[in-house]
Amino acid sequence: MMSAASVSARSRCVPSRNCKSGCGNSPVKKACCHRPDSLALARNEGNLSRDTGEVFLIKFNTFISTVKATRASHAILFGAVLLMVACAPRPTAERGPRIEEAQIRQVYVATQRDLSRPRQTFGQPRNEQLNFFRASVSIPPVHQPGQVEWAKRGETADPARHFVVTDTKVYDRPNRFMREMKRDSTMNETMVFVHGYNNTLSDAMYRLAQIQEDFDLGMSSVLFSWLSSGDARGYIYDRDSILYARDDLEEVLKAVSAQDNGSILLVAHSMGSHLVMEVLRQAALRGDRELLSRINGVILMSPDLDPDLFRSQAEAIGKLPQPFLIFVSREDRALSLASFITGRKPRLGVIDGPEAVEGLQVQVIDFTALADGEGLNHSVPATSPAAISLLKGMFTQASTGNGRFDDYMVLKAPPPESGVLPIPGGGMIGRRR
């Protein structure tokens, strides 16, 4: 196994001409996929950009409130946002010791990334092989729901205050990965999580660990990490990577469901929703109803999808896995940018009524009132403490058969005096729009 010191070694970078704080990447010799440790990835990801910094959010909100909605000003706004995001430093997963007070979450990862070079940069050939590993992620005792407690830039990660990786294991065969993953759960259902655009492996790994912790999932979870560039300028590149990932995600779903005849809860965020829908469509066109029957539910969170495309995909799939939930927020600023890039048409994740999905076997839940501004309101169900509390109550209620969810629901803001929206026993959640 690799030493903690080697994992923590920082990657060197050369400033690029266009961005003084940006990093140029030198070629790295591709190593055999059977490396002794998977978290050489932590600092190999070092020169990345992150869209959640305080400075960026302040500047972005200033732009939103002051720039007029003309064609030219939108172009300036979009270019400035990309520049700020692309030039911002980005945190990466770090090794740390295991402490008694911390909670350990096992994150199983199936990834298209080369583990010796997990940062996918523009112009690099995409890796052709799936790799499998497990990361033991330590959740600090001071963890707050919805947060990923990263160490600040230049600060050594402290397991008492930050997320850290305490242990990793690389698997040379998928069946060994699947067997160990199943042994970690008392349930026969596995959650497969597909991240979105502009995500690094560190981002996605820690986000899944946070979701496991905050929702207290009893099932095993697998992260499918596709070849996102982890760069805000890589929107088109990431859309191509989605199509490149279809066969590999389908292979992973088949392997997970084949293990002990298990079932799958499929959860996707943002652009990952496009990948999930493409894979379900692909399975349907191949006549693989066996795979589709193993999917016990689908959740698309803030889906970055054209509603017309989603309808076409859903109709090609036919009978959709149930329940099929779509989480939206009308104040999702990241999807507002995506709408601008893709022709000024609202994305599925910001629809404001049931018309866009009418006649489909889906349920839409609007989280707009529960947004707290975190991450451009692009992950409200996973980052808002009020949304997490409410969702846990809804899922508990649904599992007992005491609750009924409407096809289109707009959730209410929590009462200011309590901060938490109570779940009405046996009634509908939220209000119908």
Side-chain angles (χ1 to χ4, degrees), residues 239-410:
R239 290 183 76 178
D240 288 343
S241 293
I242 284 291
L243 300 180
Y244 184 80
R246 290 176 295 188
D247 291 348
D248 282 344
L249 177 56
E250 186 176 8
E251 180 183 327
V252 169
L253 295 179
K254 286 180 178 178
V256 171
S257 63
Q259 193 71 31
D260 298 329
N261 294 318
S263 59
I264 295 171
L265 171 62
L266 193 48
V267 180
H269 178 239
S270 188
M271 196 180 284
S273 303
H274 188 177
L275 176 53
V276 163
M277 291 302 295
E278 281 293 298
V279 170
L280 296 180
R281 175 182 180 274
Q282 184 169 285
L285 293 178
R286 288 178 176 171
D288 193 353
R289 304 310 301 188
E290 173 65 21
L291 174 60
L292 294 173
S293 70
R294 295 296 181 84
I295 299 174
N296 271 4
V298 175
I299 297 174
L300 304 183
M301 181 168 58
S302 309
D304 186 1
L305 257 176
D306 184 297
D308 293 338
L309 175 59
F310 173 74
R311 177 174 290 277
S312 174
Q313 292 166 325
E315 290 174 349
I317 295 166
K319 184 179 179 181
L320 296 175
Q322 294 298 315
F324 197 110
L325 304 177
I326 302 173
F327 295 165
V328 305
S329 172
R330 286 165 281 128
E331 300 299 327
D332 187 324
R333 287 169 286 171
L335 289 186
S336 295
L337 283 174
S339 298
F340 174 74
I341 300 171
T342 56
R344 305 194 179 195
K345 182 178 181 181
R347 311 301 280 170
L348 182 63
V350 294
I351 59 174
D352 60 1
E355 295 78 18
V357 294
E358 190 174 359
L360 303 177
Q361 301 167 313
V362 302
Q363 294 170 304
V364 179
I365 304 178
D366 187 326
F367 285 83
T368 303
L370 302 180
D372 57 6
E374 179 73 21
L376 306 180
N377 293 331
H378 191 44
S379 308
V380 176
T383 60
S384 163
I388 292 169
S389 177
L390 181 55
L391 267 179
K392 288 174 69 175
M394 290 173 67
F395 291 155
T396 299
Q397 193 172 3
S399 68
T400 63
N402 292 327
R404 182 172 70 87
F405 299 162
D406 213 345
D407 289 342
Y408 190 91
M409 295 177 291
V410 178

Side-chain angles (χ1 to χ4, degrees), residues 49-112:
S49 60
R50 186 168 183 82
D51 65 355
T52 57
E54 252 182 62
V55 174
F56 162 64
L57 286 177
I58 293 170
K59 290 181 178 179
F60 181 80
N61 287 326
T62 302
F63 267 110
I64 287 292
S65 60
T66 59
V67 178
K68 294 182 179 180
T70 65
R71 235 175 237 189
S73 63
H74 270 105
I76 293 170
L77 169 64
F78 179 64
V81 168
L82 282 187
L83 182 62
M84 286 188 288
V85 172
C87 292
R90 194 159 192 160
T92 55
E94 290 191 38
R95 284 276 195 175
R98 185 167 184 164
I99 62 173
E100 186 176 348
E101 299 86 356
Q103 177 71 39
I104 302 296
R105 292 291 178 175
Q106 304 298 340
V107 178
Y108 288 86
V109 182
T111 182
Q112 294 180 304

